[in-house]
């Protein structure tokens, strides 16, 4: 049995204004503010036990959180 990992959730700026959450290359939600998009994206990532990548307005990743499968767990 293979433990299939859900794709990570990305909160990204939308070129038409507002912010989107994308997963697996598909837009899963659209929001008028970054805060709303972050909250929704975080909840989706927690449900799917995956990573949540929050991008800056320029498209660069500004923050990254792991909810379940951490590719770089703490050592110790």
């Amino acid at each position: 049995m293979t433990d299939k990992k859900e794709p990570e959730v990305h909160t990204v700026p939308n070129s038409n204004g507002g912010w989107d959450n994308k997963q697996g290359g598909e837009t899963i939600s659209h929001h008028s503010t970054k805060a709303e998009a972050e909250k929704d994206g975080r909840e989706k990532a927690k449900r799917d036990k995956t990573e949540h990548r929050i991008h800056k307005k320029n498209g660069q990743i500004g923050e990254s959180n792991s909810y379940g499968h951490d590719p770089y767990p703490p050592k110790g």
Side-chain angles (χ1 to χ4, degrees):
M1 180 190 275
T2 306
D3 187 21
K4 187 177 176 209
K5 183 179 166 256
E6 289 293 325
E8 52 197 38
V9 176
H10 289 262
T11 298
V12 298
N14 181 298
S15 60
N16 294 323
W19 291 79
D20 292 337
N21 284 309
K22 295 189 173 207
Q23 189 173 28
E26 306 236 352
T27 300
I28 57 173
S29 64
H30 177 75
H31 305 272
S32 57
T33 68
K34 184 177 182 182
E36 291 169 345
E38 280 184 43
K39 181 177 183 242
D40 188 59
R42 181 173 36 256
E43 289 170 0
K44 176 69 170 145
K46 284 180 178 180
R47 280 193 306 271
D48 289 353
K49 296 180 171 59
T50 192
E51 287 78 42
H52 182 208
R53 311 277 188 234
I54 302 166
H55 295 247
K56 298 178 187 179
K57 259 198 154 159
N58 67 5
Q60 292 180 327
I61 295 174
E63 187 179 336
S64 183
N65 298 296
S66 182
Y67 301 103
H69 175 76
D70 189 347
Y72 305 103
K75 296 181 182 188

